[in-house]
Amino acid sequence: MKKILVTGGLGFIGSHTVVELQNEGFEVVIIDDLSNSSESVLDGITSITNKKPFFEKLDLKEKSSVENFFKKHNDISGVIHFAASKAVGESVENPLLYYENNLNTLIYMLKEVLNLKESNFIFSSSCTVYGQAEKMPITEEAPTQPAESPYGNTKQVGEEIITDTCKVSPNLNAIALRYFNPIGAHPSANIGELPIGVPQNLVPYITQTGAGLRESLSVFGNDYPTPDGTCIRDYIHVVDLAKAHVIALQRLLDNKNDSNFETFNVGTGVGSSVLEVITAFDNVSNQSLNYKFAPRREGDVISAFADTEKANTVLGWKAKSSLNDAIGSAWKWEQKIRNL
Ligand code: WQD
């Protein structure tokens, strides 16, 4: 049984990936500093898979702790590195926190991965690296744009750090997955997204409004050059996204990769407007969401959706869930955690 380290494994995408890894027979070890997650997520994972993953609370910024961890676990065959801070606005307020949390930790991890017998590494990147792309759908060859935020910059620089390291370390095999907009929850509703405070992202804001925690959703801008005037994104079900990680890991373990650093878009290929997401919510929840139009939000791109050809044909992965499925699972989760 191959042992896989998942950093940030109690977070939103990490926890869903742990479930898919366990379902495929991997032994999973998790490290997480619990800064944006809770140890109770372990119970949620275990209730789905009947296997409790090993967990150690560890702050990846503490280099010596990372070194000690790898001394104890030198039989790891692959690392999926989710642990990072992800609030765009907070990163503008506190850039050094973001550079330290997202880049120092990446460097410490890579140093350790290089010492493993099997140096397989998967990095959480983001469609934010493309900025406002000229052509839709966005291919992996689309040029990256100067980042809108320190958060976005940590994803770009993160990819560059891996590129440079792979050039001089032929044994290192890495894949960066560029996520579009992950949403939803496990169909069991035993794990899902747990935003702290007021959600900044669309779908948790919608489900919290539907649950009565927020009065009304502000739709940021209805004068964009899109069919209904609202922004377009590629919303991907977190379970589909989690499965992409397992397939990418298997590609590395089987040495099927074409080069020692590859990047793949992970999206559905379908663009949905904010109003379409609201309609999907209304359909799955049998209610009519309270929303109002508000000014544009600074830094938002007009439209971003993935060209999934490379992920489909080279990686052999394809998103299966519809927008309604994904929103339905997010709503089921919200109802469960609010005891509705
Ligand atoms: C989606 C759409 C908003 C909230 C961000 C990061 C990205 C990635 C995912 C994370 C936009 C609109 C939102 C609201 C709204 N990183 N909206 N009212 O901005 O595409 O991507 O999250 O880890 O790097 O930038 O996602 O969910 O915030 O917004 O109208 O209250 O919903 O304007 O069009 P975004 P989002």
Side-chain angles (χ1 to χ4, degrees):
M1 206 197 273
K2 295 264 184 192
K3 193 198 248 191
I4 307 301
L5 169 63
V6 181
T7 75
L10 298 182
F12 174 42
I13 307 170
S15 58
H16 289 83
T17 302
V18 169
V19 166
E20 297 306 320
L21 285 167
Q22 290 188 317
N23 283 345
E24 291 302 317
F26 290 101
E27 181 189 348
V28 179
V29 293
I30 296 174
I31 50 186
D32 198 302
D33 68 356
L34 302 176
S35 61
N36 191 19
S37 60
S38 146
E39 209 168 331
S40 66
V41 175
L42 268 182
D43 300 331
I45 293 170
T46 311
S47 70
I48 299 169
T49 62
N50 289 320
K51 273 174 278 183
K52 190 165 186 171
F54 174 87
F55 165 64
E56 187 166 319
K57 181 172 186 273
L58 195 151
D59 183 347
L60 290 177
K61 293 193 295 300
E62 290 165 12
K63 192 165 185 240
S64 57
S65 309
V66 178
E67 289 167 353
N68 286 335
F69 180 86
F70 276 89
K71 273 184 203 138
K72 279 184 286 172
H73 297 274
N74 59 3
D75 55 347
I76 286 169
S77 299
V79 174
I80 307 185
H81 180 53
F82 292 102
S85 299
K86 62 170 186 178
V88 177
E90 185 188 36
S91 79
V92 175
E93 304 290 318
N94 201 344
L96 291 181
L97 178 79
Y98 271 65
Y99 290 121
E100 186 179 26
N101 282 359
N102 294 5
L103 295 181
N104 287 19
T105 58
L106 171 64
I107 293 164
Y108 302 157
M109 288 304 296
L110 284 172
K111 282 189 170 177
E112 295 303 323
V113 170
L114 285 175
N115 291 330
L116 293 170
K117 270 194 229 78
E118 293 178 277
S119 299
N120 297 315
F121 189 75
I122 297 185
F123 179 63
S124 301
S125 190
S126 168
C127 66
T128 190
V129 301
Y130 299 118
Q132 179 57 71
E134 263 174 41
K135 281 191 224 125
M136 289 300 137
I138 305 173
T139 69
E140 287 80 356
E141 274 69 51
T144 58
Q145 307 274 355
E148 283 281 349
S149 67
Y151 163 75
N153 206 25
T154 65
K155 294 299 170 191
Q156 288 203 8
V157 176
E159 285 196 15
E160 285 163 13
I161 289 171
I162 300 169
T163 303
D164 293 342
T165 312
C166 280
K167 269 187 205 147
V168 294
S169 312
N171 290 338
L172 176 61
N173 285 308
I175 289 179
L177 297 178
R178 291 175 171 167
Y179 312 156
F180 280 68
N181 287 56
I183 62 163
H186 194 269
S188 64
N190 289 351
I191 52 171
E193 195 171 1
L194 283 168
I196 292 173
V198 181
Q200 306 299 310
N201 296 113
L202 179 63
V203 172
Y205 204 104
I206 287 178
T207 54
Q208 289 198 6
T209 306
L213 274 81
R214 317 265 156 222
E215 204 174 304
S216 163
L217 169 77
S218 294
V219 175
F220 298 139
N222 64 339
D223 57 352
Y224 282 102
T226 61
D228 66 20
T230 64
C231 290
I232 291 175
R233 297 286 183 277
D234 185 337
Y235 296 93
I236 172 158
H237 195 305
V238 65
V239 174
D240 278 330
L241 175 57
K243 288 185 171 155
H245 290 81
V246 182
I247 291 172
L249 175 74
Q250 200 61 58
R251 178 175 173 83
L252 295 181
L253 290 168
D254 295 344
N255 288 312
K256 293 244 174 72
N257 43 325
D258 296 325
S259 69
N260 72 334
F261 185 37
E262 298 176 310
T263 53
F264 294 98
N265 284 342
V266 189
T268 65
V270 178
S272 305
S273 72
V274 178
L275 291 180
E276 284 171 332
V277 176
I278 295 172
T279 303
F281 177 77
D282 287 352
N283 287 338
V284 299
S285 66
N286 284 319
Q287 48 169 286
S288 182
L289 188 82
N290 202 7
Y291 72 87
K292 57 181 184 297
F293 291 117
R296 291 181 177 194
R297 181 173 71 177
E298 204 183 325
D300 270 341
V301 297
I302 304 164
S303 181
F305 54 97
D307 185 317
T308 59
E309 180 71 17
K310 188 178 176 196
N312 296 166
T313 56
V314 181
L315 192 58
W317 167 89
K318 200 174 183 0
K320 292 201 179 84
S321 296
S322 66
L323 180 65
N324 272 17
D325 292 340
I327 302 275
S329 69
W331 179 229
K332 185 175 170 191
W333 164 249
E334 187 75 57
Q335 287 174 291
K336 182 166 173 184
I337 59 175
R338 307 299 168 202
N339 296 316
L340 295 180

